[in-house]
Amino acid sequence: MTEETTAREAAVSVNNAEGGVLVQTPRKKRKYKRSEVITAYACLLPSFVLMMLFITVPLIISAYFSLFDVNYYLGNTFVWFDNYHKVLAGTMSAEFYRSILVGVEYIAIIVPVQIILSFLIANLIVKINPKFSAVIKVCIYLPCLISGIVVGAIFSFLYNYDGGLFNSILQAFGLPKVNWTGEPGWAVFSVCIAAIWNGLGYTTLIMLGGLYDIPGDYYEAAKLDGASWWQQTVYITVPCLKNIGMYLLISLVVSSFQLYEIALVIVGSGAMHATEGPIYYLYYQFNYSKNMGEVYAASLIVAVVLTALSSVIFRLTSSEKSLD
């Protein structure tokens, strides 16, 4: 009886395919062996434990202490949601919203520039000789091996008003010097340039892997139809990189919003606090606030903002391709 049913379903599938409509026959669910299930859970266990220790548990602790007026000398006082009110509409609101806006500025500058540059460089690497491409890949990835503190120190010397490389180049062309780290507009720009240089190699290699994964038959067929480079890019390359693009978009949004070390070293508290993003704000409050409950509340709100940004990106880029 089973064989007859299978044959009938196969015949229906073939007939529908001949008629122009392909209907997939139902497949039997595979029964996993007990040893396979145990192996799968054993592989997931370390990640689950680490997630519990460094994400879930700290999150619960932060949520608990955010409801208290935390004082190491006088003890803790339960204040309900008063700390959240101080962050969003009280004494801390102006500084908090300013840090959020700075984080949005970082996202608006770093994310599109880094994605476009990584896309162009990855296409260049694909087109050139493999020997030269290997050298380019190594050179472009080297800045990723440097920590944010070191990157900030390097660019601090480059941005130095008297004797810095950038101002020396401007003077060589007869242009006036620029206060890269003292003026608010230039300070944000300077931090973004350093952050892009630091992370460009990683995004380029991810983009390069996506380009290598696109079948060459697509481009050969497009060339036979007379498609230009721009048409191949718009109708083949970009759609096939949708998953890669979504991953890079989310990771860059999160990392840009959390940008902290480079801004701390290059600008610090200068430039009228123009480069103090959310994490810089939490760092400052953690060191100088008298009530740690407010810091816990602010950190949770920042986590909610990041989650909301990620959810919006998933929503805007959701499609059948992104679910593959």
Side-chain angles (χ1 to χ4, degrees):
M1 188 64 180
T2 305
E3 295 179 357
E4 293 178 0
T5 304
T6 304
R8 191 180 302 111
E9 291 174 348
V12 171
S13 177
V14 172
N15 292 333
N16 288 329
E18 292 176 353
V21 179
L22 180 60
V23 179
Q24 294 183 350
T25 58
R27 297 180 180 178
K28 294 182 179 179
K29 293 183 179 180
R30 179 189 171 191
K31 294 183 179 179
Y32 293 96
K33 297 179 181 179
R34 187 174 182 180
S35 60
E36 293 178 338
V37 175
I38 294 175
T39 302
Y41 280 112
C43 293
L44 292 173
L45 183 61
S47 299
F48 177 78
V49 172
L50 291 175
M51 185 179 68
M52 288 292 295
L53 290 176
F54 296 102
I55 297 179
T56 306
V57 173
L59 189 63
I60 295 174
I61 294 174
S62 298
Y64 174 76
F65 282 109
S66 67
L67 303 177
F68 288 85
D69 185 348
V70 180
N71 191 306
Y72 296 121
Y73 302 101
L74 302 178
N76 302 335
T77 304
F78 188 69
V79 293
W80 289 96
F81 297 102
D82 187 55
N83 290 325
Y84 292 93
H85 180 267
K86 290 180 180 178
V87 174
L88 296 175
T91 56
M92 300 173 61
S93 60
E95 296 178 0
F96 179 76
Y97 287 126
R98 184 188 64 202
S99 68
I100 296 294
L101 289 176
V102 171
V104 173
E105 286 184 32
Y106 287 152
I107 292 174
I109 298 174
I110 295 174
V111 174
V113 172
Q114 196 157 332
I115 288 180
I116 292 173
L117 285 178
S118 63
F119 179 79
L120 295 176
I121 296 173
N123 276 277
L124 176 65
I125 294 175
V126 170
K127 301 295 183 182
I128 64 177
N129 189 294
K131 294 182 179 179
F132 295 105
S133 66
V135 176
I136 293 177
K137 283 186 282 187
V138 171
C139 293
I140 201 170
Y141 189 74
L142 283 177
C144 298
L145 303 177
I146 305 174
S147 68
I149 299 295
V150 177
V151 171
I154 293 173
F155 276 83
S156 293
F157 288 109
L158 298 178
Y159 291 139
N160 191 277
Y161 187 78
D162 296 315
L165 177 63
F166 293 155
N167 279 337
S168 298
I169 294 175
L170 291 177
Q171 287 184 309
F173 286 96
L175 299 174
K177 295 188 293 184
V178 174
N179 189 2
W180 299 98
T181 61
E183 299 179 8
W186 285 113
V188 173
F189 177 77
S190 302
V191 172
C192 291
I193 292 298
I196 291 170
W197 180 79
N198 186 215
L200 184 61
Y202 173 77
T203 54
T204 300
L205 291 185
I206 297 294
M207 194 75 72
L208 186 62
L211 290 176
Y212 282 143
D213 196 44
I214 301 175
D217 298 340
Y218 293 175
Y219 295 104
E220 293 179 4
K223 290 178 182 178
L224 292 176
D225 290 337
S228 63
W229 176 87
W230 176 253
Q231 291 174 322
Q232 294 178 36
T233 302
V234 173
Y235 295 106
I236 298 177
T237 307
V238 174
C240 290
L241 290 176
K242 186 175 183 63
N243 289 344
I244 297 295
M246 186 177 66
Y247 166 75
L248 289 178
L249 183 60
I250 293 174
S251 61
L252 286 175
V253 165
V254 173
S255 62
S256 301
F257 195 75
Q258 295 178 328
L259 185 60
Y260 153 67
E261 295 174 331
I262 296 176
L264 176 65
V265 177
I266 293 179
V267 181
S269 304
M272 300 176 63
H273 309 281
T275 60
E276 296 180 5
I279 305 303
Y280 194 109
Y281 165 83
L282 294 176
Y283 164 79
Y284 181 86
Q285 294 297 328
F286 181 83
N287 284 280
Y288 300 103
S289 178
K290 297 180 180 179
N291 179 15
M292 291 302 299
E294 297 176 358
V295 182
Y296 288 120
S299 63
L300 288 174
I301 295 173
V302 170
V304 170
V305 172
L306 282 174
T307 304
L309 287 174
S310 302
S311 300
V312 169
I313 294 172
F314 271 116
R315 191 70 176 175
L316 294 177
T317 58
S318 61
S319 66
E320 294 180 0
K321 178 64 179 175
S322 64
L323 297 176
D324 291 345

